[in-house]
Amino acid sequence: MNLDQIFNAAQQAFLSYKNLSPRKKADFLDKTAEILEENRGAIVMMACRESNLPEGRINGELGRTTGQIKLFANLVREGSWVEATIDPAMPDRTPLPRADIRRMLRPLGPVVVFGASNFPLAFSTAGGDTISALAAGCPVIYKGHPAHPDTSKFVGSCISQALEKCGLPAGIFTHVEGGVKMGQDLVKHPQTKAVGFTGSYSAGKSLFNIASDRDQPIPVYAEMGSVNPIFTFPQRLKNELLPLAQNYVNSLTLGAGQFCTNPGLIFVPKALAEGFKNAVSQTITQVAPAPMLHEGIAESYYKALNELQLRSELNWVKVPDAQHLINASPSLAEISVQDWLKDDKFQEEVFGSFALMVIYDHADELTHVAKHLHGQLTITLWGDPSELQEQEDLISLLEEKCGRLLFTGVPTGVEVGFAMQHGGPFPATTDSRSTSVGAHAIKRFARPVAYQDMPVSLLLDELKDENPLGIMRLLNGKWTS
Amino acid sequence: MNLDQIFNAAQQAFLSYKNLSPRKKADFLDKTAEILEENRGAIVMMACRESNLPEGRINGELGRTTGQIKLFANLVREGSWVEATIDPAMPDRTPLPRADIRRMLRPLGPVVVFGASNFPLAFSTAGGDTISALAAGCPVIYKGHPAHPDTSKFVGSCISQALEKCGLPAGIFTHVEGGVKMGQDLVKHPQTKAVGFTGSYSAGKSLFNIASDRDQPIPVYAEMGSVNPIFTFPQRLKNELLPLAQNYVNSLTLGAGQFCTNPGLIFVPKALAEGFKNAVSQTITQVAPAPMLHEGIAESYYKALNELQLRSELNWVKVPDAQHLINASPSLAEISVQDWLKDDKFQEEVFGSFALMVIYDHADELTHVAKHLHGQLTITLWGDPSELQEQEDLISLLEEKCGRLLFTGVPTGVEVGFAMQHGGPFPATTDSRSTSVGAHAIKRFARPVAYQDMPVSLLLDELKDENPLGIMRLLNGKWTS
């Protein structure tokens, strides 16, 4: 099939899929999870081979993927996510009667999804973007990631199998393959209504530009990563020096540092810098070089480090071991806060387990840092309750720069739940009003439609007076179920 | 003050305003409404003079404006709009404990608003965009509309007075004046976080382009109007020919046709075309020419009509009277559905009381129409319940092309309520996921932030365990208050 045929099939499928009952939509999602689980052995073997990630991790990631699918199945089955809002008619209102107006979220239409190399399952073919779009009622055209083509195709066939078993049109999910040109053509296609993307800044931003330049601009939800700064404060750092150093190194080197929430930037008070540096340094040297996703990524990691090595502002605490094929070793450099503030280059993400440790003299300097900081997925503050209390203004500034603020643990390990926000101000994402992880991700692929004086026989169940689905609704401005 | 100073004041004010209690924010909004009411006489006089709109209309529009302000005050006071979502910690969960994650909507920051010439009050200085942004907790920089400079400045001073009386920083609202260049500079300013706009396609789209091309792209909520098609079906048209013709002409000519929901396109079955045309024609000739907002708009109206008069596909049912200064007379032309489908030009809005009546032979042709149709704010279907039931597929297609579907009345008269959706697919707006009228408009100016393991003393009231505001929240995936 050529692209026009693929989109015509998707659009045709959309007309029935968008009106499918929540229960049947949920059943299809559950069936997808079930088929993935049935094929666990094959999927894990393929994904390990193609990603170089260890079996334990991939096994866990498949569990995360099917858990995520079940979360959306339950969300759709429950049904309240559509924000049903009903203002009943007031025929006797003066000076003018009020019409009956009922509003709910409706799916956008065909969605194009690009997966991530670093999560061959959870952020790829049957990952959060695809599943939340399907849950919203949108057909998905998914472009397989060239870093794991077999896994992508196989998982795609599991989704298609689930559609078939549920008696739903095949056009609801299509797996396509191709390079940059294919990606651009998908975003340019007039029938595309939205785009989900996880990956690099350059790729995400270029898709955003294409989408904005279309005759009909469309939303692009591109999650492009960030450096996820951690701010440490003296009292807590002093009290928990070793465990915090250990936690930090664990988070930094997890999965060879290939996470969008990898904490590549840490602010440390000068008085404790030596101690923390030593603790981190001791731990980090024990971390063996780990294979990265593919040679291109390892090459980019070392290239970025070589560029930084030319910068006189940096003092290297742990120089990376020489590159050996696809393997990358963690590395760490320090810089003064004054020097860090002088060049935006020091805010750029180095994809991999590299950290920049910024030494500050006094917490006052962090106000400048906060104002200077680019948008982030996460920002972490490690301080005792008393010292955090003194940083209310700083916290208020930092809140404007991220989607998630953490106060104890590390930013890696993004919980899939109702309250998760995985998205932040540009350049972390192209749309800070959305999340790509957690239940709220479904709302990216829907828009509100109001029905005025619609005959009862045409109303969707979500908007009927008797509330047959028993969902939470805003009726006359009051929440009711 | 220059722009940098204005934005610095706004940003500074934002740091305190965003954390102001819902009650105090609501009090400020109520105070604004109160001051506007106190100055009703002066405002109405000014707005009538500057807009040429009759006193009755402007009096009503001021009521709509203050009613709208009170709606947002109540919404903010009630507090549930922030979508508070709490996933409490699960320290004993295996294999990994779950952190405490709490999420809510937080204001974006300084918002730039452009008002509309056709609503000097309800969609201008203290109109829906300004008030929903202020309600969300965002400072507003408002560019006064050159068509009603005195009204704009005066209403702006009322908002500033309300801020002063409530002891709030002046930087929360700033009124600026200027032309196109000033508008562009406001959208380009690095501290602008979002834009609200109501007006023409060309102006709205150019602001969207500027915002997308920024180093940090920002959302633009531009409502750019549409032709708001009405589809009539034989049975109902036959039964209610005269009242429907009367309703149609009333809606078309209301306010000299200067509404974004003006129904400039109507589809009529051939069998009843003559009868309906005669009924409309008789009614429309009784409508006297009415003054438009300003000479430029009258000039554009006549220029557009002159262009259409050169088109041989059109048959003029009511030729407009010759232009007399600022006055415009209603006009009506008919075209066959076959000719209409051939040229997108026939979908372009003529701002004013001009209608294109498209004659169709059979309802099947409307499927092509639906597919061909541009995005609209509203689409209306006038059919008997039985004939609508037969049009389920058509309705499904039309739903994809608009923000509001109507089944009895006319699209003009946009209700300000909870269920209203005033926004639609491009080119009706630049962001179909949002509404510029009604309670949901507040969400345009907020984004979600998640707080992970935040110390209780730092949590906002909306997210505290004890729910001191008594708002509706999603706790562990269940709605609760």
Side-chain angles (χ1 to χ4, degrees):
Chain A
M1 289 207 289
N2 65 30
L3 278 198
D4 282 342
Q5 290 167 326
I6 287 170
F7 276 97
N8 281 338
Q11 179 61 37
Q12 196 52 42
F14 177 52
L15 291 176
S16 59
Y17 188 54
K18 71 174 179 171
N19 290 327
L20 198 68
S21 74
R23 190 180 51 77
K24 286 189 181 165
K25 221 175 281 165
D27 288 347
F28 153 56
L29 294 175
D30 277 339
K31 178 59 77 181
T32 301
E34 192 188 309
I35 295 173
L36 290 173
E37 282 297 352
E38 282 167 12
N39 291 282
R40 177 174 280 270
I43 292 169
V44 169
M45 209 179 98
M46 253 177 235
C48 286
R49 171 175 62 78
E50 291 188 318
S51 71
N52 302 313
L53 293 166
E55 192 179 332
R57 147 73 194 271
I58 290 294
N59 249 316
E61 192 181 323
L62 183 51
R64 179 194 176 95
T65 307
T66 55
Q68 189 164 258
I69 297 175
K70 287 175 205 157
L71 175 95
F72 282 109
N74 289 335
L75 189 77
V76 166
R77 197 174 277 119
E78 195 279 327
S80 301
W81 74 273
V82 299
E83 299 178 356
T85 307
I86 301 178
D87 292 343
M90 292 177 165
D92 303 325
R93 192 182 64 171
T94 53
L96 288 171
R98 182 170 87 178
D100 177 284
I101 309 181
R102 293 162 194 249
R103 175 193 198 266
M104 65 179 280
L105 296 180
R106 297 290 286 145
L108 290 178
V111 169
V112 167
V113 174
F114 297 83
S117 62
N118 60 340
F119 277 94
L121 302 173
F123 286 82
S124 288
T125 323
D129 283 349
T130 297
I131 297 301
S132 57
L134 290 173
C138 299
V140 169
I141 292 99
Y142 181 83
K143 184 171 113 46
H145 199 288
H148 49 260
D150 291 351
T151 311
S152 190
K153 214 165 159 178
F154 189 84
V155 171
S157 74
C158 293
I159 303 177
S160 297
Q161 221 179 303
L163 284 171
E164 202 186 329
K165 291 211 170 158
C166 295
L168 296 174
I172 292 171
F173 178 84
T174 310
H175 186 276
V176 300
E177 289 164 315
V180 172
K181 171 74 166 58
M182 167 63 94
Q184 293 171 344
D185 287 346
L186 288 169
V187 176
K188 281 177 190 165
H189 199 280
Q191 286 177 289
T192 301
K193 293 288 185 248
V195 177
F197 169 91
T198 307
S200 71
Y201 173 79
S202 58
K205 182 60 164 55
S206 96
L207 296 182
F208 173 84
N209 290 346
I210 291 171
S212 306
D213 288 345
R214 284 167 50 114
D215 285 345
Q216 297 194 24
I218 52 172
V220 171
Y221 303 103
E223 192 271 80
M224 305 179 290
S226 60
V227 290
N228 304 290
I230 296 182
F231 291 84
T232 69
F233 296 92
Q235 203 52 50
R236 177 145 178 228
L237 194 59
K238 199 168 141 191
N239 292 343
E240 304 177 41
L241 194 82
L242 292 179
L244 287 179
Q246 181 73 57
N247 282 353
Y248 181 66
V249 172
N250 288 350
S251 179
L252 180 71
T253 60
L254 192 71
Q258 300 167 114
F259 289 105
C260 38
T261 51
N262 190 54
L265 190 62
I266 184 163
F267 292 84
V268 178
K270 195 170 208 165
L272 294 157
E274 277 308 306
F276 187 67
K277 216 161 67 183
N278 289 339
V280 166
S281 181
Q282 275 181 22
T283 318
I284 211 169
T285 45
Q286 287 159 26
V287 180
M292 295 191 82
L293 293 159
H294 54 81
E295 279 173 28
I297 283 185
E299 183 65 27
S300 299
Y301 175 68
Y302 277 93
K303 192 162 185 292
L305 293 181
N306 285 160
E307 275 171 27
L308 287 172
Q309 281 171 323
L310 298 172
R311 299 295 297 251
S312 59
E313 299 96 328
L314 299 191
N315 172 30
W316 288 81
V317 180
K318 160 80 169 65
V319 180
D321 303 333
Q323 183 177 359
H324 178 64
L325 299 172
I326 205 168
N327 291 304
S329 70
S331 55
L332 180 71
E334 67 171 320
I335 187 171
S336 73
V337 71
Q338 294 79 12
D339 283 339
W340 183 83
L341 282 166
K342 278 180 200 150
D343 193 341
D344 276 5
K345 180 81 191 162
F346 299 130
Q347 294 206 49
E348 282 178 16
E349 185 182 4
V350 174
F351 196 71
S353 49
F354 165 73
L356 198 54
M357 191 182 285
V358 184
I359 314 298
Y360 70 89
D361 293 292
H362 193 273
D364 290 353
E365 292 163 332
L366 299 180
T367 304
H368 300 291
V369 169
K371 288 181 178 168
H372 181 64
L373 205 59
H374 297 166
Q376 306 287 334
L377 291 169
T378 73
I379 292 177
T380 303
L381 294 106
W382 284 344
D384 268 355
S386 63
E387 48 194 356
L388 287 175
Q389 208 62 54
E390 284 168 24
Q391 298 301 331
E392 274 198 276
D393 290 347
L394 177 69
I395 294 171
S396 192
L397 286 173
L398 292 176
E399 179 195 54
E400 292 179 30
K401 297 296 178 81
C402 71
R404 182 163 54 115
L405 267 179
L406 296 89
F407 293 87
T408 56
V410 292
T412 46
V414 182
E415 189 69 39
V416 181
F418 292 91
M420 178 47 68
Q421 172 59 17
H422 188 64
F426 191 90
T429 74
T430 48
D431 190 335
S432 71
R433 299 159 295 169
S434 68
T435 179
S436 62
V437 176
H440 285 278
I442 195 173
K443 300 211 177 164
R444 296 176 297 168
F445 303 112
R447 69 180 176 89
V449 176
Y451 306 89
Q452 188 163 325
D453 295 323
M454 194 180 214
V456 175
S457 60
L458 291 170
L459 281 177
L460 286 168
D461 281 351
E462 286 85 346
L463 297 177
K464 286 180 180 152
D465 275 344
E466 61 272 27
N467 195 5
L469 303 175
I471 59 176
M472 185 61 70
R473 309 193 292 188
L474 199 61
L475 177 65
N476 256 325
K478 305 267 175 245
W479 289 97
T480 168
S481 63
Chain B
M1 291 207 287
N2 64 30
L3 278 198
D4 282 342
Q5 290 167 326
I6 287 170
F7 276 96
N8 281 338
Q11 180 59 37
Q12 195 54 40
F14 178 52
L15 291 176
S16 59
Y17 187 55
K18 70 174 180 172
N19 290 327
L20 198 68
S21 74
R23 191 179 52 74
K24 287 190 179 164
K25 220 175 283 166
D27 288 347
F28 153 57
L29 294 176
D30 278 338
K31 178 59 79 182
T32 301
E34 192 188 310
I35 294 173
L36 290 174
E37 282 296 353
E38 284 168 10
N39 291 282
R40 178 175 278 272
I43 293 170
V44 169
M45 209 179 96
M46 253 178 236
C48 286
R49 171 174 61 78
E50 291 189 318
S51 71
N52 301 315
L53 293 166
E55 193 179 332
R57 148 73 193 271
I58 290 294
N59 248 318
E61 192 180 323
L62 183 52
R64 180 193 175 96
T65 307
T66 55
Q68 188 164 260
I69 297 175
K70 286 174 206 158
L71 175 94
F72 282 109
N74 289 336
L75 189 79
V76 166
R77 196 174 277 120
E78 194 278 331
S80 300
W81 74 273
V82 299
E83 299 178 357
T85 307
I86 302 178
D87 292 343
M90 292 178 165
D92 303 326
R93 190 183 64 171
T94 54
L96 288 171
R98 183 171 85 176
D100 177 283
I101 308 180
R102 294 163 194 249
R103 175 192 199 265
M104 65 181 279
L105 295 180
R106 297 288 288 144
L108 289 178
V111 169
V112 166
V113 174
F114 296 84
S117 61
N118 60 340
F119 278 94
L121 302 173
F123 286 82
S124 287
T125 323
D129 284 349
T130 298
I131 296 301
S132 57
L134 290 173
C138 298
V140 169
I141 292 97
Y142 182 83
K143 184 171 113 48
H145 199 290
H148 49 261
D150 290 351
T151 312
S152 189
K153 212 165 160 179
F154 188 84
V155 171
S157 76
C158 293
I159 303 178
S160 297
Q161 220 178 304
L163 284 172
E164 200 185 331
K165 290 212 170 155
C166 295
L168 296 174
I172 292 171
F173 178 84
T174 310
H175 187 275
V176 299
E177 289 163 317
V180 172
K181 171 74 165 58
M182 168 62 95
Q184 293 171 342
D185 288 346
L186 288 169
V187 176
K188 282 178 190 166
H189 199 280
Q191 285 177 290
T192 302
K193 294 287 186 247
V195 176
F197 169 92
T198 306
S200 71
Y201 173 79
S202 59
K205 181 60 164 54
S206 97
L207 296 181
F208 173 84
N209 290 346
I210 291 170
S212 305
D213 288 345
R214 286 167 49 115
D215 285 346
Q216 297 194 26
I218 51 171
V220 171
Y221 303 103
E223 193 270 81
M224 305 179 291
S226 59
V227 289
N228 305 290
I230 295 182
F231 292 85
T232 67
F233 296 92
Q235 202 53 51
R236 178 147 177 226
L237 194 59
K238 199 169 140 191
N239 294 341
E240 304 176 41
L241 193 84
L242 292 180
L244 287 178
Q246 180 73 56
N247 282 353
Y248 181 64
V249 172
N250 288 350
S251 179
L252 181 70
T253 59
L254 191 71
Q258 301 167 113
F259 289 104
C260 37
T261 52
N262 189 54
L265 190 62
I266 185 162
F267 292 84
V268 179
K270 196 173 208 164
L272 294 157
E274 275 312 303
F276 188 67
K277 217 161 67 182
N278 289 340
V280 166
S281 182
Q282 275 181 20
T283 318
I284 213 169
T285 45
Q286 287 160 26
V287 180
M292 295 192 81
L293 293 158
H294 54 80
E295 279 172 28
I297 283 185
E299 182 65 26
S300 300
Y301 174 68
Y302 277 93
K303 191 162 186 293
L305 293 182
N306 285 162
E307 276 171 27
L308 288 172
Q309 281 171 323
L310 298 173
R311 299 295 299 251
S312 60
E313 300 96 327
L314 299 191
N315 172 31
W316 288 80
V317 181
K318 159 83 171 64
V319 180
D321 304 332
Q323 182 175 0
H324 179 63
L325 299 173
I326 206 169
N327 291 305
S329 69
S331 54
L332 179 72
E334 68 171 320
I335 186 172
S336 73
V337 72
Q338 293 80 11
D339 283 340
W340 183 83
L341 281 165
K342 280 182 199 150
D343 193 342
D344 276 6
K345 182 80 190 164
F346 298 130
Q347 294 206 49
E348 282 178 17
E349 185 182 3
V350 174
F351 195 71
S353 49
F354 165 73
L356 198 53
M357 192 182 284
V358 184
I359 313 298
Y360 69 90
D361 294 291
H362 192 273
D364 288 353
E365 292 163 333
L366 300 179
T367 304
H368 300 292
V369 169
K371 288 181 176 166
H372 182 64
L373 206 59
H374 296 166
Q376 307 287 335
L377 292 169
T378 72
I379 292 177
T380 303
L381 294 104
W382 285 345
D384 268 356
S386 63
E387 49 194 354
L388 287 175
Q389 207 62 53
E390 284 169 23
Q391 299 300 332
E392 272 199 277
D393 290 347
L394 177 69
I395 294 172
S396 191
L397 286 173
L398 292 176
E399 177 195 57
E400 291 178 31
K401 296 295 177 80
C402 71
R404 181 163 55 113
L405 267 180
L406 295 89
F407 294 85
T408 57
V410 292
T412 46
V414 182
E415 189 69 40
V416 181
F418 291 91
M420 179 46 67
Q421 172 60 18
H422 189 65
F426 190 89
T429 73
T430 48
D431 190 336
S432 71
R433 299 160 296 171
S434 68
T435 179
S436 62
V437 176
H440 285 279
I442 194 173
K443 300 210 177 164
R444 297 176 296 168
F445 303 112
R447 68 179 177 91
V449 177
Y451 306 90
Q452 187 164 326
D453 296 323
M454 195 180 213
V456 176
S457 60
L458 292 171
L459 281 177
L460 286 168
D461 282 351
E462 286 85 346
L463 296 177
K464 284 179 181 153
D465 275 344
E466 63 272 28
N467 195 5
L469 304 175
I471 60 175
M472 184 60 69
R473 309 192 292 187
L474 198 61
L475 178 65
N476 255 325
K478 305 264 176 249
W479 289 96
T480 168
S481 62

